[in-house]
Amino acid sequence: MEVRRSARRRRTVTAYRDGDTLVVLIPATMSRAEEEHWVAEMQRKLQRTESRRASPARKSDEALLARCVELSRRYLDSTTMPASVRWVPPMRTRWASCTPVDRTIRVSERLRDVPSWVLDYVLVHELAHLRVAGHNAKFWALVRRYPKTERAIGYLEGLSSAAGLGITGIDADDE
């Protein structure tokens, strides 16, 4: 998080994300107590906004499958189509998993409220596993076709750390 004080700013407080950083713009005359209040308030507002932008795929397994079809078309040349995609109870060590043999993908319900671009990354990651089982260079070349890969990885690392989950990657063998 970054707080920027401005001598030109008189009353308004603004916040936005710059990559993984929350930037809060406040008047230079604001006290430390007011700064703390407004930073917390702007964090809450931004979180609510990001949650509202959450993917419609969070509503059902069918919507999740439809989103995978769209993501496969957009980023993987429609070459990876899952047989099924479903929400599952929170996993202890990963955000999602897939079984390439039967082309199934399971997504932890912990991800229902993340921003849509984060869920999309997780789905692209699992779709790529339908073509490449491991995490080699060929696999990551597929995943990185999704433009927000690095940002989403950072988001998931922060979410895991903040919640004390100890999840280090999407799959069990991500490190």
Side-chain angles (χ1 to χ4, degrees), residues 19-170:
D20 293 333
T21 303
L22 171 65
V23 178
V24 182
L25 308 173
I26 63 173
T29 58
M30 195 171 274
S31 71
R32 290 290 174 206
E34 290 173 313
E35 176 183 327
E36 287 178 20
H37 164 78
W38 282 107
V39 165
E41 180 64 24
M42 298 312 282
Q43 281 179 312
R44 280 191 296 276
K45 281 186 174 188
L46 202 54
Q47 183 64 41
R48 281 194 306 268
T49 299
E50 288 172 346
S51 291
R52 279 196 298 272
R53 288 187 199 144
S55 174
R58 66 185 170 159
K59 292 184 170 83
S60 69
D61 292 349
E62 294 77 22
L64 205 55
L65 178 60
R67 187 63 185 155
C68 280
V69 170
E70 171 62 22
L71 291 168
S72 178
R73 183 193 63 74
R74 188 178 300 171
Y75 300 109
L76 302 171
D77 307 318
S78 296
T79 58
T80 58
M81 293 297 172
S84 72
V85 185
R86 62 189 171 95
W87 291 104
V88 297
M91 300 178 193
R92 290 185 312 139
T93 60
R94 56 185 105 174
W95 297 112
S97 64
C98 80
T99 306
V101 174
D102 63 8
R103 307 186 72 69
T104 60
I105 295 174
R106 292 157 306 285
V107 181
S108 172
E109 288 186 348
R110 291 185 201 279
L111 297 177
R112 278 198 190 261
D113 295 324
V114 300
S116 59
W117 53 271
V118 175
L119 180 58
D120 284 354
Y121 160 73
V122 171
L123 295 174
V124 169
H125 183 110
E126 296 306 326
L127 287 166
H129 276 308
L130 297 179
R131 280 184 44 192
V132 180
H135 289 97
N136 59 24
K138 184 177 178 184
F139 168 82
W140 284 110
L142 289 172
V143 172
R144 287 197 169 90
R145 290 180 181 181
Y146 180 67
K148 294 184 179 178
T149 292
E150 295 304 319
R151 183 176 174 199
I153 289 170
Y155 184 99
L156 291 170
E157 288 172 352
L159 182 61
S160 176
S161 178
L165 298 174
I167 299 174
T168 58
I170 302 296

Side-chain angles (χ1 to χ4, degrees), residues 9-24:
R9 188 174 287 273
R10 297 286 175 221
R11 292 184 304 244
T12 61
V13 176
T14 306
Y16 63 92
R17 288 217 188 269
D18 183 11
D20 293 333
T21 303
L22 171 65
V23 178
V24 182

